[in-house]
Amino acid sequence: MRQILFAGVIGMFLTVIGTPLLIKLLARKGYGQFIRDDGPRGHAGKKGTPTMGGISFILATLIAYALTKVITGEEPSFSGLLVLFLMAGMGLVGYLDDYIKIVKRRSLGLRAKAKMAGQLIVGIAFAVLALQFKDSRGLTPASEKLSFVTDFGWSIGPVLFVVWALFMILAMSNGVNLTDGLDGLATGAAVMVFGAYTFIGVWQFQESCANAVDLTNPNACFEVRDPLDLAVVASALMGACFGFLWWNTSPAKIFMGDTGSLALGGALAGLAICSRTEFLMALLGGLFVLITMSVVIQVGSFKLTGKRVFRMAPLQHHFELKGWSEVLVVVRFWIIQGMCVIVGLGLFYAGWAADK
């Protein structure tokens, strides 16, 4: 359990002290945020704020995980390394997108096909590798079965699994990307979900089938390959994002950019897949789902009827245009996200207790 504490503390420390250095570097190079003309008027003052801040918590998470392993003498697991690979890979795609927006002065960044291709390459690599590396009990980091609290149903096979994993990765990455529209909103929401996955990883480790004495009821324990190391990764991410929030909260001194939002979405999807809680992620990350659905509803309604349901999408901007202050929107959306996490963890525990 020391690993979890070390990872979280080191991750937070690195972003608290490292993010100001990144802010100075980005400001000196003129890597400032581009503000679209069709956005809320109150956002005009954010133009020029350093972006690509996701570099800060990506590096902090990787360093925190590595230092934790060195300090404790524990070996890294394939599950933990795969989640970190997915986070860093998606972050690299986001970085290229941000770089083109800023340096090439192309407001939409990477071409849609190029951005999608990058996400697909990283996602497919993760999904294929996640079905490899069996441990002594024959468990791989991911399972070909669908999951809620644990695996259920029949195996969907490796091909459909890759498709399903890609859907989750793209959905969560773009969900966090859409949520990242107000100071601290996506970062604070992500902290809560990573906190939930820290708890889930610890609980799965304590109730692992590998440690179970009575295996007459296999549903009463968790068949997860590396639950404790997934908790270490989640803790490192939680700490790194928490430290980054100090500089990202209103008024933000730095934005995470696509570098950060795609990385966080990838990390969330990776944790859900490797911890066998894929459908539970839809509830634990409820705010990201809600905001994504607001965009789907807005676009669908406009194409079908020519009318808009919201004043502006994503949903947070709708409330801004209704007169809510940015801080009010962020705090209330954080409350919604907090409730989603509480309900999600309640269902996680209830599902385990029912089988117990």
Side-chain angles (χ1 to χ4, degrees):
M1 299 302 175
R2 291 185 307 155
Q3 295 184 72
I4 296 172
L5 178 61
F6 287 152
V9 172
I10 294 172
M12 181 177 65
F13 176 77
L14 289 175
T15 47
V16 168
I17 67 169
T19 304
L21 302 177
L22 180 62
I23 292 172
K24 292 179 181 179
L25 175 63
L26 295 173
R28 186 163 60 245
K29 289 184 173 293
Y31 291 175
Q33 178 70 30
F34 176 86
I35 302 297
R36 296 175 59 178
D37 295 332
D38 57 352
R41 293 182 181 180
H43 290 201
K46 300 181 181 183
K47 185 176 181 179
T49 301
T51 187
M52 294 194 291
I55 295 172
S56 174
F57 55 73
I58 291 173
L59 291 178
T61 300
L62 295 174
I63 294 171
Y65 180 81
L67 286 179
T68 296
K69 295 303 177 182
V70 172
I71 293 171
T72 61
E74 299 288 341
E75 293 185 359
S77 71
F78 285 111
S79 298
L81 292 175
L82 279 173
V83 174
L84 293 175
F85 162 76
L86 182 58
M87 174 196 71
M90 295 298 288
L92 178 59
V93 175
Y95 171 80
L96 294 175
D97 190 42
D98 286 334
Y99 184 81
I100 291 174
K101 287 177 186 176
I102 296 166
V103 177
K104 303 298 183 181
R105 301 296 177 182
R106 196 164 77 205
S107 63
L108 296 180
L110 278 173
R111 304 292 183 191
K113 290 183 179 179
K115 189 174 183 179
M116 179 61 70
Q119 291 176 300
L120 289 176
I121 290 171
V122 175
I124 291 173
F126 166 83
V128 171
L129 291 172
L131 293 179
Q132 313 304 317
F133 311 114
K134 291 183 179 180
D135 65 5
S136 59
R137 295 183 295 133
L139 293 176
T140 54
S143 167
E144 294 180 8
K145 294 183 178 181
L146 300 178
S147 60
F148 182 63
V149 173
T150 57
D151 287 342
F152 65 84
W154 299 97
S155 169
I156 61 176
V159 175
L160 285 179
F161 167 77
V162 171
V163 174
W164 169 240
L166 281 175
F167 171 77
M168 284 199 63
I169 293 166
L170 294 175
M172 288 309 304
S173 295
N174 290 290
V176 178
N177 185 256
L178 291 171
T179 305
D180 183 37
L182 302 181
D183 294 355
L185 178 58
T187 309
V191 167
M192 298 182 206
V193 187
F194 289 132
Y197 270 104
T198 302
F199 172 83
I200 287 173
V202 172
W203 193 271
Q204 289 178 332
F205 173 72
Q206 292 177 337
E207 302 295 332
S208 172
C209 293
N211 304 323
V213 177
D214 180 14
L215 290 177
T216 56
N217 182 10
N219 293 324
C221 57
F222 295 101
E223 287 282 17
V224 177
R225 190 190 191 284
D226 307 295
L228 186 60
D229 209 41
L230 291 175
V232 174
V233 172
S235 179
L237 280 160
M238 177 180 64
C241 288
F242 197 73
F244 181 74
L245 186 60
W246 181 270
W247 305 103
N248 182 233
T249 194
S250 184
K253 299 294 187 296
I254 189 171
F255 300 134
M256 70 169 69
D258 281 13
T259 306
S261 60
L262 295 189
L264 291 183
L268 290 170
L271 287 169
I273 292 169
C274 290
S275 65
R276 315 289 206 269
T277 55
E278 295 157 359
F279 283 106
L280 185 64
M281 168 56 77
L283 185 53
L284 291 173
L287 181 64
F288 303 125
V289 176
L290 178 65
I291 287 177
T292 301
M293 289 307 300
S294 73
V295 175
V296 173
I297 292 170
Q298 184 85 326
V299 173
S301 176
F302 186 76
K303 286 186 175 181
L304 291 174
T305 67
K307 297 181 180 180
R308 293 180 173 85
V309 176
F310 307 105
R311 294 188 181 185
M312 187 176 182
L315 187 61
Q316 62 267 33
H317 299 320
H318 167 78
F319 288 102
E320 279 192 289
L321 294 180
K322 287 192 67 174
W324 291 19
S325 70
E326 180 175 2
V327 173
L328 181 62
V329 175
V330 170
V331 172
R332 286 182 174 173
F333 275 39
W334 279 349
I335 293 172
I336 293 172
Q337 177 56 50
M339 290 190 293
C340 289
V341 166
I342 291 171
V343 174
L345 288 177
L347 287 176
F348 173 79
Y349 177 79
W352 169 82
D355 290 329
K356 197 72 173 179

